[in-house]
């Protein structure tokens, strides 16, 4: 496993891409209105480093207390069950942890 100079383990590039793809697919359901995601919601499930990396890779930008893509007019709960979406994201992380 590769580590950075600060001792933090490097994040798996394929895992971050898979998480970002899932976030991007959810955001596209907004039909161009963009999406806003509460960072704490995602960080509680994935951890802050992984959540931040996935959001950045998916093209989200940091706003106060949230991350948004596009106009940020919609929320994930409008297009999916948040609990189910988080479970799917956790499964991706678990698959790469093995």
């Amino acid at each position: 496993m590769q580590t950075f100079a600060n001792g933090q383990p490097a994040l798996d590039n394929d895992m971050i891409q898979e998480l970002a793809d899932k976030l991007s697919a959810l955001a596209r359901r907004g039909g161009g209105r963009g999406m806003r995601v509460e960072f704490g919601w995602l960080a509680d499930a994935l951890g802050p480093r992984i959540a931040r990396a996935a959001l950045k890779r998916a093209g989200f930008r940091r706003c106060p207390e949230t991350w948004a893509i596009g106009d940020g007019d919609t929320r994930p709960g409008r297009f999916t069950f948040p609990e189910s979406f988080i479970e799917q994201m956790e499964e991706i992380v678990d698959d790469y942890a093995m």
Side-chain angles (χ1 to χ4, degrees):
M1 176 187 320
Q2 183 181 12
T3 58
F4 294 111
N6 65 3
Q8 290 282 338
L11 296 174
D12 187 293
N13 192 45
D14 292 336
M15 175 185 71
I16 297 302
Q17 186 62 52
E18 195 170 340
L19 293 168
D21 290 345
K22 196 126 185 84
L23 285 165
S24 295
L26 181 62
R28 281 193 300 274
R29 292 182 188 172
R33 294 184 304 263
M35 182 164 290
R36 186 170 300 273
V37 175
E38 297 291 329
F39 181 74
W41 171 69
L42 199 57
D44 286 347
L46 307 178
R49 282 185 68 222
I50 294 173
R52 191 174 297 109
L55 286 164
K56 284 180 181 179
R57 178 82 55 93
F60 282 74
R61 68 186 185 287
R62 190 174 187 174
C63 301
E65 303 297 320
T66 62
W67 286 66
I69 191 167
D71 292 336
D73 292 339
T74 61
R75 302 274 180 172
R78 185 165 178 179
F79 303 104
T80 188
F81 292 109
E83 298 81 12
S84 173
F85 183 76
I86 285 295
E87 285 177 11
Q88 293 170 10
M89 299 288 275
E90 288 173 335
E91 286 176 11
I92 292 170
V93 173
D94 290 346
D95 287 346
Y96 283 91
M98 292 181 175

